Amino acid sequence: MSHIPRSRPDENRRRRSPYYSNAEIGRLIGKSEPYISNLRNNKSDNPTMNVIMAIAEVFAVHPGDLIPVATSTRRTHSGRAMRIAARAQNLSPRSLEALEAMIEHFTATDAVHDGV
């Protein structure tokens, strides 16, 4: 979560400093200052989707923008899945049903190809 932005674009002009402190972000999303510090310093690397969504709302960015691209294959897949989940938050119920059907299809396809 080192990708937590330092400022909200529309707030830069009204604030003396373009940076949000850990305490300010924590207050805005209902989390502690140490928790935000740990996210920013990569000491905590598993925030819930609710935390990601709250931080994205504070900075007016897409939640997927806050999820870094990982380097290992396993972490890359996990990060990609989280970015897809974040993007799916705004889909209609009909689109979510279609997405779930596609995931079921791909899961079955992968199982066949993996010999499961």
Side-chain angles (χ1 to χ4, degrees):
M1 280 299 293
S2 62
H3 286 60
I4 295 177
R6 296 290 179 188
S7 65
R8 185 188 321 192
D10 60 347
E11 292 283 317
N12 282 343
R13 284 175 257 137
R14 289 185 275 165
R15 296 173 53 81
R16 265 193 284 149
S17 169
Y19 301 105
Y20 276 107
S21 71
N22 293 338
E24 288 174 304
I25 296 171
R27 187 179 67 254
L28 290 169
I29 70 167
K31 296 293 180 185
S32 70
E33 179 179 354
Y35 178 78
I36 300 302
S37 176
N38 286 340
L39 287 176
R40 276 188 164 163
N41 294 309
N42 292 319
K43 293 179 181 175
S44 177
D45 63 355
N46 196 19
T48 66
M49 187 56 71
N50 288 338
V51 169
I52 293 170
M53 298 289 288
I55 292 171
E57 186 174 324
V58 167
F59 292 102
V61 298
H62 191 280
D65 295 339
L66 300 178
I67 302 170
V69 176
T71 54
S72 74
T73 303
R74 182 169 181 249
R75 293 187 72 166
T76 300
H77 290 314
S78 175
R80 289 178 75 191
M82 287 184 70
R83 284 191 302 280
I84 290 168
R87 292 177 64 193
Q89 296 292 316
N90 297 322
L91 294 178
S92 69
R94 183 176 175 190
S95 294
L96 285 172
E97 288 176 18
L99 181 58
E100 287 176 329
M102 289 189 324
I103 290 170
E104 291 299 321
H105 170 78
F106 293 131
T107 300
T109 301
D110 283 349
V112 168
H113 288 282
D114 292 341
V116 175

